[in-house]
Amino acid sequence: MNTVFGVPLPALLGQLLIGLINGSFYALLSLGLAIIFGLLRMINFAHGAQYMLGAFTAYLLLHFAGIGYWPALILTPIIVGVFGAVIERLFLQRLYGLDPLYGLLFTFGLALMLEGIFRYYYGASGQPYATPPSLAGGTNLGFMFLPNYRGWVVVASLLVCIGTWLLIEKTKLGAYLRAATENSTLVQAFGVNVPILLTLTYGLGVALAAFAGVLAAPIYQVSPLMGSNIIIVVFAVVVVGGMGSILGAIVTGYVLGITEGLTKVFYPEASNTVIFVIMAIVLLVRPAGLFGRE
Amino acid sequence: MNALLDVRGLNAWYGESHVLHGVDMQIREGETVTLLGRNGVGKTTTLRTIMGIIRQRKGTLRFNDQDMMPVPLHKTARHGLGFVPEERGIFASLSVIENLMLPPQIAKNGMTVDEIFELFPNLHERRNSPGTKLSGGEQQMLAIARILRTGVRMLLLDEPTEGLAPVIVQRIGDVLIRLKQRGITVLLVEQNFRFASRVADRFYLMDHGHIQSEFPVAQLGERMDELHKVLGV
């Protein structure tokens, strides 16, 4: 059997795939966090809960309205994104200009509330969400067996990340977003409705979290705690990439997911901590993050 | 003839600090008016208050016969007012062309991109560079050019010659004369009254948050003593 540094190739590629899938979720979630932080200067602690809300919305759509995976993949980000926009309009707008700690505390409270509501109704255990029949089974790549759904998760995450990056880097709306990140007062003086831009940005960030939640539902099951399990790692990814850096969030998400997967092969004891060790090193060497501006 | 900009008894505050104490000024369409004064007398605050950036304000502020006091900041530009800040506000994450195209167009009579590049050839050469890689003079040109593209009726221009080489100051003067020929009204904040005298029709002299005096450019010679006293030059 082929081996790499004494590790069988199928085991290595299997962990690489798990790393890539985890990286897909890290990238999607840290991208949303980076967009929100970039413009609103707010650390959205509710991001994990909004990811969970995405998974639960897909679950509820299926069980109460008979709406399956594919329509839910479109509908859920819209529903949860609108929920995010309403939260921004009703509450977050009152916190702009205050110490960022207020935003962090508010979103932390929101996360606890959302988790509490779903724990009350569904308990702490996960609810099963079936893989869509069109993506059931797997494909033998010769060197490894690839479950179709997991392959789809990687492709979908990449497409959404690239699409979001293009939206921000190549469109007029993206130029407004980038400019408002630097000097929102001046952009407003140019005649751009920045308050609406802030609402849309928060809605977009939340919609990305919800999209990741729907993608995750068939893999990790739908659980009220699924957000809090992943959010701390995602914050570490954002810090390594550079707070507010869009490209940093995407690249670092995938790279750290793969790094975590490879650590499971070569030194499993460190696999749960490797991302935090990298974060500590980056904070020491380059506090603004790998892609952040000093 | 009605003033395009009519400011009466304008007061403004930064938190508890009362900065403008009843500013009065009337500017007619097509005029270039310079607001002179030492550092800290409230010139920049006057521009920012007229633009609506400073919201803690009282008094009368009419532009084109419309009350601007209740107009939110993001709607001020649509009335035809454009603002170029002292620090120029060039966005580092945007290229020169992105900076130029950023402000939404409010009227069809703005300069076209071709006209802008003809007026500022340096910007054309460096259109794909990041905005903040330009020299100070080029950044100032870009800051003015991007507002001219929008078709504003009146430009609020804050110390455009600050920290620039004499040859660049000369070019900015040429640009302001071109704007005057196009009929654009300009309220210019400037400490360099020799530069201002080249482009301005009238002066307002400001001290301690209010207008101390007003005179046309023809009286500049007679007013030198007052200018020396107020400006400390």
Side-chain angles (χ1 to χ4, degrees), chain A residues 3-29:
Chain A
T3 60
V4 177
F5 298 117
V7 177
L9 190 60
L12 181 68
L13 292 173
Q15 284 303 330
L16 204 62
L17 176 67
I18 290 172
L20 196 57
I21 289 163
N22 284 343
S24 300
F25 291 115
Y26 296 161
L28 274 174
L29 289 170

Side-chain angles (χ1 to χ4, degrees), chain A residues 162-177:
Chain A
I162 291 169
T164 309
W165 183 80
L166 287 174
L167 173 79
I168 288 166
E169 292 296 324
K170 303 290 173 195
T171 66
K172 187 85 179 201
L173 180 68
Y176 288 152
L177 279 172

Side-chain angles (χ1 to χ4, degrees), chain B residues 20 35 42-53 83-84 156-159 187-189:
Chain B
L20 296 186
L35 193 54
K43 304 185 301 294
T44 296
T45 304
T46 302
L47 291 196
R48 291 169 69 86
T49 307
I50 292 170
M51 194 62 203
I53 293 171
F83 175 57
V84 179
L156 308 176
L157 197 50
D158 196 0
E159 304 221 25
L187 174 56
L188 171 71
V189 159

Side-chain angles (χ1 to χ4, degrees), chain A residues 13 19-20 25 30 32 45 58 71 74 77 81 109 148 161 163 172 193 201 212 218-219 222 231 235 244 268 270:
Chain A
L13 292 173
L20 196 57
F25 291 115
S30 58
F45 225 92
I74 308 290
N148 290 340
C161 285
K172 187 85 179 201
N193 191 339
T201 302
I219 297 182
V222 180
I231 197 66
F235 273 118

Side-chain angles (χ1 to χ4, degrees), chain A residues 169 172 175-176 178-180 182-183 185-195 293, chain B residues 51 53 73-74 77-78 83 85 89-94 98 101-104 146-147:
Chain A
E169 292 296 324
K172 187 85 179 201
Y176 288 152
R178 282 179 286 143
E182 289 184 44
N183 186 344
T185 305
L186 188 59
V187 173
Q188 222 166 332
F190 286 164
V192 177
N193 191 339
V194 172
R293 279 203 206 100
Chain B
M51 194 62 203
I53 293 171
L73 175 57
H74 68 269
R78 287 181 221 168
F83 175 57
I90 302 302
F91 298 103
S93 59
L94 271 60
E98 283 177 321
M101 303 303 283
L102 189 76
R146 72 179 168 191
I147 297 297

Side-chain angles (χ1 to χ4, degrees), chain A residues 24 74 92 122 124 126 135 251 294:
Chain A
S24 300
I74 308 290
L92 298 183
Y122 293 94
L135 291 174
V251 173
E294 295 286 353

